[in-house]
Amino acid sequence: MTENTQQQPASNPELPTQYAPAEVEGKLYERWVERGYFTADPKSEKPPYTIVIPPPNVTGSLHLGHAFQHTLMDALTRRKRMQGYESLWLPGMDHAGIATQNKVEQQLGGEGKSRQDLGREAFVERVWQWKEEYGGKILGQMRRLGDGVDWSRERFTMDEGLSRAVQTIFKRLYDDELIYRAERIINWCPRCLTAISDIEVDYQDDNGELVSLKYGEGDETVVVATTRVETMLGDTAVAVHPDDPRYAHLVGKRIKLPLTDRTIPVVADTHVDPEFGTGAVKVTPAHDPNDFAIGQRHGLESLTIMDERAVITAHGPFQGLDRFEARSAIVEALREQGRIVAEKRPYVHSVGHCSRCKTTVEPRLSLQWWVRVGPLAQAAGDAVRDGRVKIHPQDMSRRYFDWVDNMHDWCISRQLWWGHRIPVWYGPNGEVVCVGPDEQPPSGEGWTQEADVLDTWFSSGLWPFSTLGWPERTPDLEKFYATDVLLTGHDIIFFWVARMMMFGLYAMDGEPPFHTIALTGLVRDEHGKKMSKSNPNSVDPLDWMDAYGSDAVRFTLARGANPGADVPIGEDWVQASRNFANKIWNATRFALMNGATVEGELPDPAQMSATDRWILSRLNTVVAEVDAYYDDYQFAKLADSLYHFAWDEVFDWYVELSKTTYFAGGEQARISGRVLGEVLDVTLRLLHPIVPFVTETLWTTLTGKESVVIADWPADSGFRDKAAEQEIELVQRVVTEVRRFRSDQGLQPGQKVPARLTLDGTALAPHEAAIRQLLRLQPEGEEFSATATLPVAGATVALDLSGTIDVGAERKRLAKDLAAAEKEKAQAHGKLGNEAFLAKAPDNVVDKIRTRLAKAEEDIARITAQLERLPQE
């Protein structure tokens, strides 16, 4: 990597009159990549700083959630690189088992084929072809955003190295008896024909029906209620609470199960809530997780009454019906027998749906592979409790502990063809052999490999160390593990974060995969509503990048990023960020045209004006603030601090206050030019991690150096000048107060007004020329007449408004406004003084009236002051 100390005189230091992001962003990014700025060196003696990107799905494209998190990760790694760290941001993609297989199956369906027509081997080859042709679209979009990732280390969860890591850890967990095979209730998708994880189930309120059924005969009857009547064909018991006197005479007896030739026992179980419904529940162990647990406790039979496509397999007239068809048919049959006690339609209840195909998920008893998470989850909890891993914001720790302290064993097998095939072979005599990556699988007649593949979260759970070469002790692993921070949304803390913690601690001898978990919120629209592709509020960030530039999108997202909180975003805000980029551009262009320079040492503060000392003092304060905010992951605060410092203090105040100095020329102009160059240099470096493109263009033009990407991060020099800060604050008070008065009088911003300034004996005296320039105040002439006098900050500003405003018309306008404000005050006072009204009115209504009263009183004071300041007619 080229050192950034080499001075390179710019052949054309002038900037175009307007900033055109589309003309510079792509070229700059490719230059950064070609020069190797983002490529990390494991042999470097610099301290490491590592972030691994949460791997997006190979099927995915950049959405605002990605753009949000990528902006923050990029800002962290760019800053650390500038601070002298060997900064690695490692990119890659997840093979996304179900999503990718569905894409290819849809493609095959368009050809009139199915995966079964191709067979497993040919189908997997077809998926690889799809991945090469269509997958990874998001990687190009990440370049558009400006992601400073190390493309030389790009990984894919199905590549050779990561596949070796998956097989290695599976073998170790299996040998340690932390992986096992068993029948349990799982989430099953009858469309995708696979088990799916909790995160792949979307719950939504559906209109269903609640049906109450009568089981048994005569005195031995029990009424149960269910939303899934079809599952009664698989009931193997009715459960009641052991202390419920209504059913004490039935516990231990068997009662008739309608529509079948079976009787089922009544069992007593403390899981049953005697206060809910009738206090009796039907037990279907093969089709409900709670019922399965009851069945285990009481040794009940588990009867599977549906096949993998949710078609009824139980003997009888309902065999062959789809589950929903069977539901209606069974209700009708029970009604004919007089077994229906009550029906409630519609009955709104939460129903799980497959996140991929939206099919209603079916709880199903199935033989699957599981991770025994007990000891792994214990270690994941301990790592946070003992401080090895910090969660930010800290109040999110409770949600983390709620999950890891109550985690159930994890179903890791999926009935798919695309994914890491489970490395287990079954022999002809019931043998089960787990094979590691360097072992030969058993061969011979009757040996077959497990058909299932592993849950996608299994391989992505290894991401922080498998991407660095584990299980080999590679230079990358030695240098860059553990990673420094995991920055991700709080919505996947349960699924991805916890799995990485468990696997990282297990595989890396107790060393956690990251030192900090920085949790973000979710991006929402400007009204706080969730963005969704199915809603009209969904936004493609690439559209905004095309319209306003990538920097504008990045700055908007960073400015909304409060730790753990959701991020509202609207197009107006992106436009405002575009305006900020333009402001930076125009102000830097002005500065370059008026002598701003970084050449030579900064002059001695004793030679500087108070304005120069003030801006340098403020600059160092902002450097310290920004560092503190970065270290606390307070992106919104650091972005806001930089915005107001750059726009308000540097461009609106310092540049304007210094214009008279620049135009006057001489030594003081040279000194101010050097100060302005310093301020711009530091400000652009501070802004660079969030808005990399515009700052690169401006900084290289200002300094003539190679790239701000590899520039030094600014350090707080410790220089503070409180006296200068107080002096300029007085100037700001005078200018602000007179501007407000001018606005109140209806004067145009550029309209010049004769004025007499009495500044003698105050700290304002040296700033008279600047004050006049900022306020458009002309020197007093021979016919000057002070028609309005403003005492402010120990000084007096007398204005001659004769000829500039129609005093009579202005008095009439203000009198009308004053009357309206007094009427509003009287009405609000009247309501708040009415005890009967206060007793009945809601709190929010009373609060609104109090707000109206306060606003009216404020308006009265303001208008009265304006009237008093008007010249006499």
Side-chain angles (χ1 to χ4, degrees):
M1 185 181 295
T2 307
E3 291 297 325
N4 201 44
T5 55
Q6 181 181 357
Q7 195 82 9
Q8 298 179 347
S11 59
N12 180 13
E14 293 187 4
L15 293 165
T17 55
Q18 291 184 324
Y19 176 52
E23 296 177 11
V24 300
E25 290 179 348
K27 296 175 184 176
L28 283 182
Y29 188 83
E30 292 310 315
R31 185 188 307 162
W32 293 335
V33 174
E34 289 168 6
R35 292 181 177 179
Y37 294 158
F38 307 141
T39 304
D41 181 3
K43 298 179 182 178
S44 168
E45 294 183 1
K46 296 178 183 178
Y49 184 81
T50 314
I51 295 180
V52 291
I53 201 167
N57 286 354
V58 67
T59 60
S61 60
L62 190 74
H63 57 65
L64 274 174
H66 289 127
F68 170 53
Q69 292 182 358
H70 288 206
T71 294
L72 305 187
M73 286 184 278
D74 195 32
L76 290 172
T77 49
R78 283 179 183 269
R79 172 180 176 251
K80 285 295 183 180
R81 187 178 294 112
M82 295 172 75
Q83 285 183 315
Y85 286 78
E86 195 61 33
S87 193
L88 169 62
W89 186 20
L90 194 149
M93 293 184 299
D94 193 290
H95 65 276
I98 294 178
T100 308
Q101 180 158 317
N102 277 349
K103 287 278 188 184
V104 178
E105 287 196 74
Q106 289 168 10
Q107 193 179 64
L108 286 173
E111 302 170 9
K113 299 177 184 177
S114 69
R115 61 177 164 126
Q116 286 77 15
D117 293 332
L118 268 67
R120 182 168 192 146
E121 187 174 338
F123 176 78
V124 170
E125 179 59 33
R126 180 71 175 260
V127 180
W128 277 108
Q129 292 172 6
W130 182 94
K131 183 257 182 186
E132 294 304 316
E133 186 173 355
Y134 300 105
K137 176 182 178 182
I138 192 172
L139 300 179
Q141 295 168 338
M142 287 163 55
R143 302 171 92 94
R144 279 288 314 275
L145 187 65
D147 283 8
V149 296
D150 184 347
W151 291 110
S152 71
R153 287 179 167 82
E154 180 190 337
R155 304 306 299 268
F156 179 56
T157 50
M158 288 280 287
D159 68 30
E160 184 178 351
L162 269 64
S163 295
R164 178 178 177 82
V166 167
Q167 194 172 352
T168 298
I169 201 163
F170 187 98
K171 171 69 171 174
R172 292 187 186 180
L173 289 164
Y174 181 86
D175 290 347
D176 287 344
E177 298 183 350
L178 293 173
I179 282 182
Y180 64 94
R181 193 178 188 221
E183 273 197 324
R184 298 278 178 83
I185 295 287
I186 46 88
N187 300 309
W188 181 264
C189 176
R191 157 60 184 79
C192 298
L193 299 181
T194 182
I196 58 177
S197 66
D198 291 339
I199 198 173
E200 292 162 329
V201 179
D202 292 336
Y203 286 90
Q204 64 185 49
D205 287 341
D206 284 0
N207 285 329
E209 58 182 346
L210 181 67
V211 181
S212 297
L213 317 174
K214 182 172 65 175
Y215 287 7
E217 302 289 350
D219 294 335
E220 296 182 351
T221 61
V222 176
V223 175
V224 299
T226 181
T227 58
R228 300 167 66 221
V229 178
E230 67 280 6
T231 63
M232 60 89 57
L233 298 176
D235 285 359
T236 55
V238 169
V240 298
H241 194 276
D243 298 328
D244 192 335
R246 294 171 295 177
Y247 303 111
H249 67 291
L250 290 179
V251 174
K253 293 185 177 180
R254 300 183 71 88
I255 59 176
K256 180 76 165 65
L257 179 66
L259 306 182
T260 72
D261 57 1
R262 294 190 291 117
T263 60
I264 56 176
V266 177
V267 299
D269 196 283
T270 55
H271 172 76
V272 180
D273 180 2
E275 303 298 323
F276 183 77
T278 64
V281 297
K282 60 190 286 298
V283 182
T284 320
H287 294 278
D288 182 275
N290 292 323
D291 292 2
F292 179 77
I294 293 174
Q296 292 282 292
R297 288 192 289 272
H298 296 276
L300 301 176
E301 185 180 6
S302 295
L303 298 179
T304 300
I305 53 97
M306 294 182 208
D307 67 12
E308 60 184 9
R309 298 184 185 275
V311 172
I312 301 298
T313 58
H315 294 298
F318 312 108
Q319 187 174 4
L321 294 180
D322 171 82
R323 54 183 164 164
F324 300 120
E325 296 172 336
R327 182 175 299 174
S328 300
I330 290 172
V331 168
E332 186 58 35
L334 290 168
R335 186 180 290 112
E336 290 177 1
Q337 291 189 6
R339 294 282 179 175
I340 301 294
V341 177
E343 295 178 78
K344 183 177 181 181
R345 295 190 186 92
Y347 179 74
V348 179
H349 61 131
S350 182
V351 177
H353 297 261
C354 174
S355 63
R356 304 299 176 191
C357 67
K358 311 309 176 187
T359 301
T360 300
V361 169
E362 189 66 39
R364 185 169 189 256
L365 184 63
S366 180
L367 183 62
Q368 302 283 347
W369 285 92
W370 304 81
V371 171
R372 198 183 312 278
V373 300
L376 302 175
Q378 174 71 42
D382 291 345
V384 175
R385 287 190 172 92
D386 64 24
R388 281 175 291 157
V389 178
K390 298 186 183 304
I391 294 180
H392 188 87
Q394 191 174 0
D395 58 9
M396 287 280 181
S397 299
R398 180 177 53 81
R399 297 180 65 183
Y400 176 81
F401 291 131
D402 284 347
W403 180 253
V404 298
D405 293 347
N406 300 285
M407 194 182 296
H408 301 294
D409 284 2
W410 169 22
C411 177
I412 55 172
S413 45
R414 298 291 180 267
Q415 290 65 54
L416 304 171
W417 287 355
W418 171 245
H420 295 101
R421 194 166 177 179
I422 292 175
V424 169
W425 271 256
Y426 304 113
N429 299 311
E431 302 95 333
V432 179
V433 176
C434 180
V435 177
D438 298 317
E439 300 172 352
Q440 289 294 322
S443 58
E445 187 177 349
W447 283 93
T448 58
Q449 185 179 357
E450 168 64 66
D452 291 352
V453 301
L454 288 164
D455 178 11
T456 295
W457 295 101
F458 190 95
S459 52
S460 59
L462 314 181
W463 191 251
F465 53 94
S466 63
T467 52
L468 297 173
W470 187 91
E472 310 303 325
R473 297 301 299 192
T474 63
D476 276 4
L477 192 67
E478 295 286 352
K479 177 75 173 180
F480 297 112
Y481 188 90
T483 67
D484 286 85
V485 59
L486 170 73
L487 191 144
T488 191
H490 62 64
D491 55 325
I492 59 172
I493 187 173
F494 315 123
F495 308 105
W496 189 47
V497 178
R499 281 154 172 68
M500 285 190 291
M501 285 286 283
M502 292 191 301
F503 282 166
L505 290 160
Y506 174 80
M508 298 301 293
D509 301 320
E511 187 176 5
F514 21 75
H515 302 307
T516 300
I517 301 169
L519 297 170
T520 70
L522 308 179
V523 178
R524 297 184 178 274
D525 70 13
E526 63 265 44
H527 305 296
K529 294 181 180 178
K530 183 179 179 181
M531 287 191 178
S532 169
K533 290 182 180 179
S534 59
N535 293 335
N537 67 352
S538 180
V539 173
D540 185 342
L542 295 171
D543 292 341
W544 281 352
M545 289 183 214
D546 291 340
Y548 308 112
S550 297
D551 284 335
V553 174
R554 290 169 62 113
F555 193 78
T556 304
L557 291 165
R559 205 171 177 195
N562 290 298
D566 288 348
V567 183
I569 184 172
E571 189 166 4
D572 288 350
W573 305 340
V574 185
Q575 291 174 354
S577 295
R578 184 270 316 274
N579 295 343
F580 179 51
N582 289 341
K583 182 78 170 182
I584 301 169
W585 182 272
N586 294 332
T588 304
R589 184 172 179 271
F590 168 85
L592 289 170
M593 293 169 60
N594 288 277
T597 180
V598 295
E599 294 181 7
E601 296 294 325
L602 269 178
D604 188 289
Q607 299 176 283
M608 298 178 187
S609 67
T611 307
D612 293 336
R613 297 194 305 276
W614 160 73
I615 197 63
L616 288 176
S617 181
R618 288 292 305 131
L619 177 67
N620 280 286
T621 298
V622 169
V623 169
E625 283 179 358
V626 169
D627 276 333
Y629 288 143
Y630 261 116
D631 292 341
D632 199 34
Y633 303 98
Q634 297 278 0
F635 296 99
K637 289 183 178 179
L638 74 89
D640 212 48
S641 176
L642 286 170
Y643 176 89
H644 287 294
F645 176 70
W647 191 307
D648 300 343
E649 298 188 80
V650 179
F651 305 143
D652 279 358
W653 283 109
Y654 178 71
V655 170
E656 294 298 322
L657 285 169
S658 301
K659 277 183 178 178
T660 54
T661 302
Y662 299 143
F663 298 154
E667 179 63 13
Q668 196 58 51
R670 186 194 67 79
I671 291 173
S672 291
R674 179 64 186 90
V675 171
L676 179 55
E678 182 74 11
V679 172
L680 288 174
D681 171 16
V682 172
T683 303
L684 290 170
R685 282 186 281 152
L686 289 173
L687 282 165
H688 172 71
I690 301 177
V691 285
F693 295 109
V694 68
T695 52
E696 171 80 340
T697 305
L698 295 175
W699 190 85
T700 53
T701 304
L702 172 70
T703 66
K705 294 182 180 179
E706 181 182 328
S707 175
V708 70
V709 176
I710 51 174
D712 291 335
W713 181 252
D716 177 5
S717 71
F719 176 76
R720 301 288 191 280
D721 192 325
K722 291 300 179 185
E725 290 190 32
Q726 292 170 358
E727 185 172 322
I728 301 305
E729 284 173 9
L730 291 177
V731 176
Q732 292 172 326
R733 281 178 56 194
V734 170
V735 172
T736 301
E737 187 66 25
V738 177
R739 278 178 174 166
R740 183 181 297 117
F741 175 76
R742 287 175 56 110
S743 176
D744 288 343
Q745 305 312 311
L747 296 175
Q748 296 300 313
Q751 188 172 353
K752 294 182 178 180
V753 178
R756 177 189 299 139
L757 274 61
T758 306
L759 308 177
D760 295 342
T762 73
L764 296 166
H767 304 283
E768 180 170 352
I771 291 172
R772 285 186 177 276
Q773 170 74 21
L774 288 167
L775 291 171
R776 304 297 189 266
L777 301 180
Q778 293 178 320
E780 55 188 290
E782 292 182 2
E783 299 180 2
F784 178 83
S785 174
T787 58
T789 302
L790 284 76
V792 56
T796 302
V797 179
L799 304 174
D800 183 354
L801 300 179
S802 58
T804 60
I805 61 172
D806 184 336
V807 176
E810 186 65 13
R811 280 191 179 279
K812 287 181 180 179
R813 184 185 70 81
L814 290 173
K816 182 179 180 181
D817 291 346
L818 181 61
E822 287 174 337
K823 180 179 179 181
E824 175 73 4
K825 176 183 176 180
Q827 289 177 343
H829 247 311
K831 288 186 176 180
L832 292 174
N834 185 333
E835 294 296 333
F837 170 78
L838 293 176
K840 296 179 180 178
D843 290 345
N844 65 320
V845 172
V846 175
D847 288 342
K848 285 182 181 179
I849 295 172
R850 289 193 176 117
T851 301
R852 283 169 48 196
L853 175 61
K855 176 67 167 54
E857 291 175 336
E858 181 184 312
D859 289 343
I860 291 168
R862 176 179 54 81
I863 297 168
T864 302
Q866 289 176 239
L867 283 166
E868 291 173 352
R869 289 171 175 169
L870 277 177
Q872 297 301 314
E873 294 183 76

